[in-house]
Amino acid sequence: MLKRNLKLAMAALFITGALAGCGTSNKSAQEGNTTKEEQQQTYSGTITIAGSTALQPLAEEAANEFMQTYPDVSITVQGGGSGTGVNQVAAGAVQIGNSDVPSAEKIEDKAKAGELVDNKVAGIAFALVVNKDVKVDSLTVQQIQDIFSGKVTNWKEVGGNDEKINVINRPASSGTRATFEKTLMKDVKVNDSIGTVQDSNGAVEQAIKSTPGAISYVAMSYLVGDKANALTTLKIDGAEPTVENIKAQKYPFWSYEYMVTKGEPKDAVKGFIDFVKSEQFAAKVKEMGYIPMSELE
């Protein structure tokens, strides 16, 4: 009887050990699969992004890095201006609308405004830029208003050479223009009958280079790296477009950058937006001329 009970106990111990071993093996395999899934299969699907050309370079860089980590996600980034991005996401044509201003300022169908969520992903400074032949290094807000309203038409009136001022503006759909009007022009109306209009930051850059006496405004993300000396940047009231001056409220021409979604972002869209705002991506944000959210909050 004792021998029989001993055999049963040993058998039970063997079975328990075997089951415990299987449990560990399954758990390890499960953990291994989870890790792989998190790296490669947590997010999948297609994301289309459109809108602000100021935010476009950052969105493109983030998309490339995100797709390397999650190859089952396909992301396409387009420009078109903040107004285009906001209204396309409201219509359900894209998943993310890039904008330099809150969506309520660009939505055409006001009934849909409540459906949109403005996800702040970065900050950005904008700069007044001029052709290399312009011999002015700083303008006051009043002088900027006078130039873009058409009141001042020659550089000699603001301390420069005797040369015609050629204004290059942005279209009404542009978030960069909306920021320019809100932070610098304020209650003074831009005179659209003077100068020319370019529909993107890149087009402005080329127009400034080729037009004597030209002045316009671009996102600082277009003035970093190899392009740092491509255009002459003007100070505003003596202040340069730096993070320090923005924090000290000395430099007014800046805004948050938004990735607008229809409803709260979910799945791959949420994962992508979280990645853009993450500390992991913050160094790249700064390198590309933007301001990480951690430095503005």
Side-chain angles (χ1 to χ4, degrees), residues 45-109:
T46 300
I47 302 172
T48 303
I49 304 171
S52 165
T53 60
L55 186 52
Q56 187 174 354
L58 187 68
E60 290 174 341
E61 178 62 30
N64 289 334
E65 293 193 22
F66 194 78
M67 288 188 290
Q68 287 177 10
T69 304
Y70 303 104
D72 291 333
V73 178
S74 176
I75 304 175
T76 302
V77 182
Q78 305 164 356
S82 298
T84 297
V86 167
N87 287 289
Q88 283 194 357
V89 78
V94 301
Q95 287 73 48
I96 296 174
N98 288 341
S99 181
D100 308 325
V101 295
S103 58
E105 296 183 23
K106 288 294 179 181
I107 187 72
E108 293 172 0
D109 186 349

Side-chain angles (χ1 to χ4, degrees), residues 177-192:
R177 171 166 170 161
T179 302
F180 174 71
E181 292 177 337
K182 181 165 61 175
T183 62
L184 294 179
M185 296 302 289
K186 299 178 181 177
D187 295 329
V188 180
K189 187 174 177 57
V190 170
N191 188 341
D192 286 312

Side-chain angles (χ1 to χ4, degrees), residues 37-38 40-45 66 70-73 266-272 274:
E37 188 173 329
E38 285 176 349
Q40 297 184 358
Q41 299 176 11
T42 301
Y43 300 120
S44 62
F66 194 78
Y70 303 104
D72 291 333
V73 178
K266 298 178 181 177
D267 304 323
V269 172
K270 183 180 187 303
F272 175 70
D274 287 345

